[in-house]
Amino acid sequence: MSSTDSNKRPRIDAKVSVLMVRTGEYTTGYGTAADSDKGAGVVALTMFDLRRRGKVERVGMCGVNGKKFPGIRKHMEKNIGDVYKDMDLGCDTYPSDQTADPKAYIDAIATFKAGDVAIIFTPDDTHYDIALACINQGMHVMVTKPIVQTLEHHINLIKAAKEKNVLVAMEVHKRWDPFYADARDRARSQFGNFQYMYAYMSQPKHQLETFKAWAGKSSDISYYLNSHHIDFSEWTLEGIARPVRVTGTSSTGVAHSKGMKTCNPRGRQNELGL
C-alpha cells in the first residue's frame, strides 16, 4: 500500500454499520417522563429508519448497565415496532444483559471497522474518552453537544481525527430549527452590527431526574443545554465577529428543593443565562 493510499479516508460503503453509545432518553426514549416528547427516542428510531431505507446495515447499542436491555427492547417494540411499519429492531447490545460495565464501549467499538459510524449521547464528561477510542478505531463520530468540556480535549480530537482521516462532528440540532435559522439570517442581513446577545435556557423539572446521576456534578446546564446558544452565536457571527466578554448567572432553587445538592457550593443548576 502506498503512503497516499494509507492517508485516504476510510470509505463509507453503500451501507454503514452504526454504534450508538448510550441507551437513555435521546437514544431509545427509555426512562422518559410521561410528558416527554422523546418517548420513542431519537437516535435509535432514526437508525432503524435508515436501515429500513437501505442506508444502514448493522446497528449496535452500548450502555453501562446491561440489565436494562430487556426493558429497553420492550420499550422500543411498543414505541417503535408497534407504531412504524417494517422496522427491524435487531440490535447488538453491550454489555450483556447480566452485567454492568462502564467500559463496555471498548468491547463494543472493537466489533466495528474503519469507516463505520459512532453516535455518542453520553454524560458530558465521558465524551472525550469514548470519541477518542472511536476515532482510533477509524470510525466516523458524531457527539452530542458539548463535544468536550476543555479546549485541550477539543484540540486533541481534531488532531486524532486528522491522523485517522475521519469525520468528527458535534450534534447541534438547533441549526435545523426554522426559528433559529430565520433568526440567524435576519441577524446577518438586516440588523446591523452585532453587539449583544442574551442566551437563556431552563429545563422541565423532570429533567433534573433524567440527568441527576451527573448533571450538576460532572457537568451542568450551561454545557448540555446552553451550548446550543453558544453555537448559535458562533454560527451567526461566522466570518463577522467574535465575543469579547461573557458573563453568566444561574439559579438552583428547584434542584435544592428536591434535595439535589453537590460538593459545588453553588449546587445544581435548573436554569442559566449567559
Side-chain angles (χ1 to χ4, degrees):
M1 179 181 291
S2 69
S3 60
T4 301
D5 291 335
S6 66
N7 290 330
K8 286 183 178 179
R9 176 171 291 157
R11 181 171 64 90
I12 297 181
D13 297 320
K15 292 183 180 181
V16 297
S17 294
V18 178
L19 173 63
M20 303 176 291
V21 188
R22 195 64 171 180
T23 62
E25 179 178 24
Y26 282 88
T27 303
T28 67
Y30 186 69
T32 56
D35 60 345
S36 172
D37 61 351
K38 301 177 182 66
V42 177
V43 183
L45 173 62
T46 302
M47 294 306 108
F48 295 143
D49 179 54
L50 288 174
R51 179 161 60 186
R52 179 175 62 174
R53 293 193 276 149
K55 304 295 185 181
V56 166
E57 191 168 39
R58 176 183 170 225
V59 175
M61 184 186 302
C62 179
V64 171
N65 187 357
K67 298 175 184 179
K68 292 182 178 181
F69 281 125
I72 290 172
R73 295 185 191 103
K74 291 181 181 179
H75 177 86
M76 292 194 301
E77 187 62 42
K78 176 182 177 181
N79 290 274
I80 300 177
D82 294 345
V83 176
Y84 298 93
K85 184 179 180 181
D86 299 329
M87 285 286 214
D88 173 11
L89 305 185
C91 184
D92 298 326
T93 54
Y94 307 86
S96 71
D97 289 8
Q98 293 77 40
T99 61
D101 181 6
K103 297 289 187 179
Y105 67 87
I106 296 174
D107 293 333
I109 291 169
T111 69
F112 287 80
K113 64 183 186 300
D116 286 338
V117 174
I119 302 175
I120 301 169
F121 271 76
T122 59
D124 298 346
D125 63 317
T126 67
H127 290 177
Y128 175 71
D129 290 338
I130 299 172
L132 188 59
C134 292
I135 292 169
N136 287 334
Q137 186 72 2
M139 301 176 73
H140 304 290
V141 181
M142 182 172 74
V143 189
T144 188
K145 43 63 183 168
I147 191 165
V148 288
Q149 293 177 299
T150 70
L151 179 60
E152 178 186 4
H153 284 174
H154 200 129
I155 292 172
N156 288 346
L157 288 189
I158 292 173
K159 181 180 178 181
K162 288 180 177 178
E163 290 176 350
K164 290 293 184 177
N165 205 20
V166 298
L167 300 172
V168 178
M170 180 173 68
E171 189 277 334
V172 275
H173 52 265
K174 291 299 184 184
R175 291 197 180 198
W176 281 265
D177 186 316
F179 290 100
Y180 281 74
D182 180 65
R184 177 187 187 259
D185 290 344
R186 291 172 185 267
R188 289 178 68 89
S189 63
Q190 300 178 19
F191 296 155
N193 292 335
F194 200 102
Q195 297 184 41
Y196 176 77
M197 174 177 171
Y198 175 71
Y200 170 83
M201 274 285 196
S202 64
Q203 59 186 347
K205 293 179 182 179
H206 65 70
Q207 291 287 65
L208 290 171
E209 296 294 332
T210 302
F211 302 131
K212 68 180 179 181
W214 54 272
K217 298 178 181 179
S218 59
S219 188
D220 60 46
I221 192 173
S222 183
Y223 281 109
Y224 66 82
L225 273 184
N226 221 17
S227 49
H228 274 306
H229 290 146
I230 301 301
D231 177 71
F232 179 77
S233 172
E234 295 298 302
W235 183 41
T236 300
L237 300 179
E238 184 179 3
I240 298 175
R242 57 177 294 178
V244 294
R245 188 167 71 97
V246 179
T247 60
T249 60
S250 67
S251 66
T252 59
V254 174
H256 279 184
S257 71
K258 291 178 173 291
M260 297 180 180
K261 297 181 180 180
T262 70
C263 58
N264 182 343
R266 292 177 299 172
R268 197 177 309 229
Q269 297 166 346
N270 45 264
E271 65 178 26
L272 179 138
L274 291 179

